[in-house]
Amino acid sequence: MNPISLVKNGLSLSCIVVAEDAHSDVLETAYDLSDTISKISGATLPVEHTPSDRASLILAVQEKDRNLARLEYHVWRRDSSVYFSGGSHHGVINGVYAFLESELGCRWYVPGFLGEHIPKRESISVGDLELLGSPDFESITGFGRHPDSDIGRIWSRRNRLDGFPQQFHSHNWSKIITPDLMDDKPEL
């Protein structure tokens, strides 16, 4: 399969497609994908609601992926389109960041721009592509804390830590070994 050009010599040759009724997190991810590609190449991919004749990055759960687990993603290329799909909108989002990481070399080590590693290149093309994956853990929460909660939230999403059931963890030693028990048995 011949590669399709998304960006050539700093010029956009493609667009990002999301449905008008897409989940707000998917729409926000589409704009983050556009911003990240702009940081890589200098080209801004427009975010549109209907497919066009040019190469397209399509963010939507596809019928063939409805049986995937909620956080599982599937990214593949067919003709002049790259599909970002999954078992839910969380899977779609995970697919976008898996693509940016594995295909374009992007990394987000800590929240904020200082933790970004965005390789530069003038052209971006996609050849044969088939990414299928899911988070390695069933629950990861509490990472990506930042004084600006939006920065922490986006960092968590970029690292595929978003979409897990909310878990509350705390320092609860005082509930296990109460202060009264410590007074009676200081060796604990």
Side-chain angles (χ1 to χ4, degrees):
M1 181 181 300
N2 291 329
I4 55 168
S5 291
L6 305 178
V7 174
K8 188 168 186 174
N9 298 323
L11 298 173
S12 172
L13 302 177
S14 57
C15 65
I16 299 167
V17 179
V18 294
E20 284 188 51
D21 63 349
H23 192 281
S24 60
D25 290 346
V26 173
L27 185 59
E28 184 178 45
T29 298
Y31 283 104
D32 193 29
L33 174 60
S34 178
D35 290 344
T36 303
I37 289 176
S38 179
K39 288 177 185 177
I40 292 169
S41 66
T44 301
L45 276 60
V47 176
E48 301 176 354
H49 296 299
T50 55
S52 67
D53 292 338
R54 61 184 154 174
S56 298
L57 304 174
I58 300 173
L59 281 61
V61 175
Q62 301 297 311
E63 188 60 40
K64 74 181 200 171
D65 292 323
R66 294 207 182 271
N67 62 334
L68 295 177
R70 196 168 74 77
L71 300 177
E72 197 169 6
Y73 59 85
H74 185 200
V75 181
W76 76 97
R77 180 185 151 205
R78 185 175 61 218
D79 301 324
S80 63
S81 295
V82 178
Y83 293 87
F84 297 86
S85 182
S88 72
H89 75 276
H90 293 293
V92 171
I93 292 166
N94 287 341
V96 168
Y97 295 110
F99 171 81
L100 286 170
E101 184 177 303
S102 69
E103 301 301 310
L104 301 181
C106 299
R107 300 287 188 280
W108 295 273
Y109 295 108
V110 295
F113 71 94
L114 289 176
E116 288 184 354
H117 171 74
I118 310 292
K120 305 289 185 209
R121 60 170 100 165
E122 288 185 349
S123 298
I124 300 171
S125 60
V126 177
D128 289 340
L129 180 64
E130 184 81 23
L131 301 174
L132 185 62
S134 63
D136 293 329
F137 301 96
E138 295 203 13
S139 176
I140 302 174
T141 58
F143 295 99
R145 301 207 190 273
H146 190 274
D148 181 330
S149 61
D150 284 339
I151 291 173
R153 179 180 50 77
I154 291 170
W155 178 85
S156 291
R157 185 179 296 157
R158 288 172 172 166
N159 283 283
R160 298 183 296 284
L161 302 174
D162 197 21
F164 290 101
Q166 187 66 27
Q167 302 284 332
F168 294 98
H169 308 281
S170 66
H171 301 277
N172 63 357
W173 188 246
S174 66
K175 292 183 173 102
I176 297 168
I177 307 294
T178 63
D180 291 344
L181 185 57
M182 288 172 57
D183 288 340
D184 292 342
K185 299 187 180 219
E187 68 276 10
L188 292 176

